[in-house]
Amino acid sequence: ADEDPILQANKKNISHEKHYSLYPTVMIERLGIDVHFQKLHIGTEMLIFIKACFLDLLNKTGCRFIL
């Protein structure tokens, strides 16, 4: 099971941090909650919702990871 030569060449020329761009990913860069709403689990509920959207069988995005 040899790897695709184009993919091998790309891996040699791309830094380790950029390898994530090779995978379909939902990237959550920053998530903040106002101090008045902290400890109400709003951030947790938002992440659960996002995760559920991408685990849904009707999801056609092809995303495999949530970062």
Side-chain angles (χ1 to χ4, degrees):
D2 289 331
E3 194 170 50
D4 181 8
I6 295 172
L7 187 57
Q8 284 179 337
N10 283 340
K11 283 185 177 180
K12 290 178 184 175
N13 297 323
I14 298 174
S15 68
H16 179 68
E17 291 81 22
K18 293 188 179 182
H19 281 260
Y20 287 116
S21 66
L22 299 175
Y23 301 104
T25 305
V26 175
M27 185 173 285
I28 302 169
E29 294 275 336
R30 294 186 179 122
L31 177 63
I33 302 297
D34 186 271
V35 293
H36 296 100
F37 297 99
Q38 288 180 353
K39 299 187 180 180
L40 296 177
H41 305 287
I42 294 171
T44 301
E45 292 298 324
M46 289 172 64
L47 290 174
I48 290 170
F49 175 78
I50 292 167
K51 182 178 165 184
C53 287
F54 288 95
L55 290 176
D56 190 313
L57 294 176
L58 298 175
N59 175 26
K60 303 294 184 200
T61 63
C63 292
R64 299 176 62 192
F65 301 99
I66 298 176
L67 294 178

